[in-house]
Amino acid sequence: MSLDACLEATFADSVIEDFACPCCNAKTNVTDRKRFISYPRNLAICLKRIVFDDWVPKKLEIELQAEQEGPLDLTRFGGGTCELKDGE
């Protein structure tokens, strides 16, 4: 799996089912979206090697391919104005 594919999976929209809405006290489905408000100078990535399938932990046996030459473009994961600030 490539680093780009891991980033796409991390920042992809996900649906939270049966979310208890604090405003209307009803259960509904909502979409969760992760985005950067500002971009980090250094990005530390924690690789998740354990997943839970029906509450049973399973170890992932995959190899991460991180062949990145040059700076990593994270602008597609930006939130708000999606503009780089000075020094980013």
Side-chain angles (χ1 to χ4, degrees), residues 16 63 82 87:
I16 301 172
E63 183 177 322
C82 296

Side-chain angles (χ1 to χ4, degrees), residues 11-85:
F11 288 96
D13 292 353
S14 62
V15 175
I16 301 172
E17 297 177 1
D18 293 332
F19 178 78
C21 178
C23 295
C24 62
N25 294 324
K27 294 216 175 202
T28 185
N29 294 342
V30 295
T31 303
D32 180 36
R33 176 179 291 164
K34 297 172 187 72
R35 293 291 182 257
F36 286 110
I37 294 174
S38 64
Y39 296 97
R41 181 177 306 269
N42 298 308
L43 180 65
I45 300 173
C46 178
L47 301 178
K48 183 175 162 183
R49 297 191 61 193
I50 304 292
V51 295
F52 290 92
D53 186 19
D54 291 329
W55 297 96
V56 177
K58 293 183 181 179
K59 183 178 178 184
L60 295 177
E61 297 291 340
I62 60 172
E63 183 177 322
L64 178 64
Q65 311 261 331
E67 297 176 11
Q68 182 72 29
E69 294 199 19
L72 183 62
D73 181 25
L74 298 173
T75 56
R76 64 187 184 268
F77 307 122
T81 62
C82 296
E83 296 176 3
L84 292 174
K85 296 182 175 106

